[in-house]
Amino acid sequence: MLMLAATGCSPDRARYTVEEYRSDASIRHSQMDRCKADPGSLSKTPDCINARQAAALEDRLRLREMPPVGLSTKPDSSKVSDTDLNRADAADKPPAPAR
């Protein structure tokens, strides 16, 4: 009797692997929509786990391929007035001690 119970409780298998979800955005998005629609029942299923992992990997890859956003650490002196530079210098200095 225990043998039958043990074989009847085999773990669910995912329909798609992480690599398959990564290679086909339409199935990945479709599965992610299903997982988000019923997180209480589906969040820990193999397909939701694989789809989330694939989405995380693909999002990270897309961020690496994006061009730089163009933020610089120093202002371009040709576009900044003397008043702006004085304000920036004043902001960098600690406040004068109270007397």
Side-chain angles (χ1 to χ4, degrees), residues 3-65:
M3 196 66 132
L4 289 174
T7 58
C9 296
S10 63
D12 292 336
R13 293 189 54 88
R15 286 180 292 165
Y16 300 102
T17 65
V18 172
E19 286 305 313
E20 290 169 325
Y21 278 121
R22 286 184 74 183
S23 65
D24 191 335
S26 65
I27 62 168
R28 181 175 66 246
H29 293 301
S30 176
Q31 182 62 44
M32 291 295 291
D33 289 343
R34 282 192 295 275
C35 297
K36 289 176 185 175
D38 190 7
S41 299
L42 300 176
S43 68
K44 302 220 188 262
T45 62
D47 274 305
C48 286
I49 294 167
N50 286 358
R52 269 196 311 272
Q53 180 66 28
L57 292 169
E58 287 303 303
D59 290 345
R60 196 173 308 138
L61 183 64
R62 276 198 304 266
L63 284 175
R64 286 186 189 152
E65 293 174 350

Side-chain angles (χ1 to χ4, degrees), residues 72-76:
S72 66
T73 56
K74 295 183 179 180
D76 182 0

Side-chain angles (χ1 to χ4, degrees), residues 54-90:
L57 292 169
E58 287 303 303
D59 290 345
R60 196 173 308 138
L61 183 64
R62 276 198 304 266
L63 284 175
R64 286 186 189 152
E65 293 174 350
M66 290 180 67
V69 290
L71 300 175
S72 66
T73 56
K74 295 183 179 180
D76 182 0
S77 62
S78 65
K79 296 180 182 177
V80 178
S81 69
D82 288 338
T83 305
D84 291 337
L85 289 174
N86 290 338
R87 283 185 198 145
D89 287 340

